[in-house]
Amino acid sequence: MKRYDQAGKAKWLILVIAAGILLLGVILYAGGRRLETRSVEEARGDLTQTEAVETQEYNGVTYQRREGLTSILVMGVDHDSAVESEGAYQGGQGDFQRLIVIDPERQVIRQLKIDRDTMTECTVLGYLGSPIGTKEMQISLAHGFGDGKEESCEYAREAVEGLLLGESIDFYVAMNMDGISELNDLAGGVTVTLEDDFSSIDPAMTKGTTLTLHGDQAETFVRSRMTVGDGTNASRMERQEAFLSQLASQLGEKIRASEQFTADLYDALQPYLVTDMARGRIINETWNARAYTLEEPCQITGEHRVAEDGFTEFYPDANSIQQAVLELFWEPVETN
């Protein structure tokens, strides 16, 4: 299986962003695999019995698990939904990944950006397509193993859970790259001012022009790199974040205005999606979370390195991983 090619494969990056917007309020069940380092403090009482409160110590601070959370892994997959995967290694790379955690009690939605080049343990398959163990590789490659659908999503989820010290992820939503244009148009088209020149791809997309993106223009805006501006991935990421911000705003307005819009949106995108969430649950939870506060995403820090084969690898900092886990799933215990 080929590794992620920075020069040409960011096709789905927004598609996942898109799916993330669709499902920002879609986190459903509470749960979480226990961290190996945690301790359990049992509540005691003479007349009643209460459930144990999960706690752990970190840097001299006691943390307890937040209750009632739902977590969802949103992925953008470099794969055409109309093409069937061949064999156990053609699932398409999960090149965009973002973890979303919904907290109904506090009415907030937390997010974690996951660098697609993050080096972590991923499940690998043998020649007959069965798991034979794990290997450290870029996390985007985890989805490439399997059938390109549910099996691939499970491998991707396992890789993220391992990265996050064993925290379990309740659900996944993966969207194939050919859903970008559909999503943009369902939102009414995202309006942007072009800071770079895209006219070699689309004559209407000249530098300085303000226009509402429609159809393939949205894909051009979020995917193009080598022939646009300075050709760097950093510039492309800035465009993608700008697109995401505006897309989220427009979809949010439509969702808050009508519960039916969420149903229509899901039905339109369903051909491009792979998810283990039920349609009705997605619609209900999205509607319930429509007024929640969307917090700024956190991000794991670390070091980017260029490997001998020329591909980029991101080595996450262990303390940063721990901090991200605490921010998403735990809270400090208040002391009197």
Side-chain angles (χ1 to χ4, degrees), residues 313-332:
E313 299 174 345
F314 176 70
Y315 290 86
D317 178 75
N319 289 328
S320 182
I321 292 175
Q322 179 69 75
Q323 290 289 353
V325 169
L326 292 173
E327 183 175 341
L328 293 169
F329 297 101
W330 300 75
E331 62 183 347

Side-chain angles (χ1 to χ4, degrees), residues 31 53 64 78 85 144 171 213 268 290 314 322:
V53 177
Q64 65 182 18
D78 185 14
S85 297
F171 299 101
L213 303 173
R290 65 191 183 279
F314 176 70
Q322 179 69 75

Side-chain angles (χ1 to χ4, degrees), residues 248-259 261-262 286-287 289-292:
S249 176
Q250 292 177 212
L251 288 176
E253 290 179 1
K254 292 179 179 292
I255 289 172
R256 286 189 292 272
S258 170
E259 186 174 9
F261 175 77
T262 303
T286 301
W287 177 251
R290 65 191 183 279
Y292 288 5

Side-chain angles (χ1 to χ4, degrees), residues 55-335:
T55 65
Q56 65 166 308
E57 300 288 332
Y58 182 71
N59 284 346
V61 178
T62 300
Y63 293 85
Q64 65 182 18
R65 182 177 292 281
R66 300 180 192 271
E67 299 294 332
L69 304 181
T70 305
S71 55
I72 188 167
L73 176 62
V74 180
M75 295 175 280
V77 180
D78 185 14
H79 185 69
D80 192 321
S81 57
V83 177
E84 291 293 331
S85 297
E86 299 179 0
Y89 308 95
Q90 306 296 322
Q93 296 176 8
D95 288 330
F96 177 93
Q97 300 184 38
R98 181 167 296 194
L99 182 64
I100 299 172
V101 179
I102 291 184
D103 187 341
E105 180 178 341
R106 298 161 187 82
Q107 297 193 348
V108 300
I109 301 171
R110 303 182 186 90
Q111 307 175 75
L112 172 67
K113 292 182 179 180
I114 302 173
D115 191 314
R116 59 185 173 273
D117 294 322
T118 300
M119 300 297 288
T120 193
E121 292 294 318
C122 300
T123 297
V124 295
L125 308 182
Y127 289 110
L128 299 180
S130 299
I132 58 173
T134 64
K135 181 179 179 180
E136 186 182 45
M137 62 181 71
Q138 293 164 313
I139 201 167
S140 63
L141 300 180
H143 187 279
F145 293 96
D147 59 0
K149 297 181 180 179
E150 287 81 4
E151 184 181 12
S152 292
C153 288
E154 290 291 351
Y155 292 141
R157 172 161 57 184
E158 288 176 4
V160 176
E161 289 177 337
L163 174 68
L164 299 181
L165 308 178
E167 289 287 345
S168 67
I169 298 172
D170 300 317
F171 299 101
Y172 60 76
V173 176
M175 183 175 178
N176 290 319
M177 64 182 181
D178 46 346
I180 298 174
S181 298
E182 180 77 16
L183 182 67
N184 173 77
D185 291 351
L186 287 168
V190 173
T191 299
V192 297
T193 298
L194 303 180
E195 297 183 3
D196 295 304
D197 184 34
F198 297 79
S199 60
S200 63
I201 305 170
D202 185 328
M205 300 178 68
T206 58
K207 184 176 181 178
T209 300
T210 297
L211 79 164
T212 300
L213 303 173
H214 290 293
D216 293 342
Q217 289 179 331
E219 190 171 345
T220 296
F221 182 76
V222 301
R223 287 179 54 193
S224 301
R225 174 188 170 189
M226 300 301 293
T227 62
V228 176
D230 59 11
T232 65
N233 187 57
S235 295
R236 180 172 58 191
M237 288 296 293
E238 290 181 6
R239 294 198 305 272
Q240 291 165 349
E241 288 295 333
F243 180 88
L244 170 60
S245 177
Q246 183 59 33
L247 181 66
S249 176
Q250 292 177 212
L251 288 176
E253 290 179 1
K254 292 179 179 292
I255 289 172
R256 286 189 292 272
S258 170
E259 186 174 9
Q260 182 60 39
F261 175 77
T262 303
D264 295 340
L265 184 62
Y266 177 85
D267 291 341
L269 293 177
Q270 195 278 330
Y272 310 103
L273 298 178
V274 178
T275 180
D276 58 351
M277 300 179 65
R279 176 183 182 275
R281 196 80 180 207
I282 287 177
I283 294 170
N284 292 336
E285 293 297 328
T286 301
W287 177 251
N288 292 338
R290 65 191 183 279
Y292 288 5
T293 299
L294 179 62
E295 295 186 349
E296 288 295 320
C298 59
Q299 188 167 1
I300 295 170
T301 60
E303 179 185 3
H304 285 94
R305 306 174 191 169
V306 178
E308 293 181 357
D309 57 9
F311 290 95
T312 299
E313 299 174 345
F314 176 70
Y315 290 86
D317 178 75
N319 289 328
S320 182
I321 292 175
Q322 179 69 75
Q323 290 289 353
V325 169
L326 292 173
E327 183 175 341
L328 293 169
F329 297 101
W330 300 75
E331 62 183 347
V333 176
E334 295 184 2
T335 57

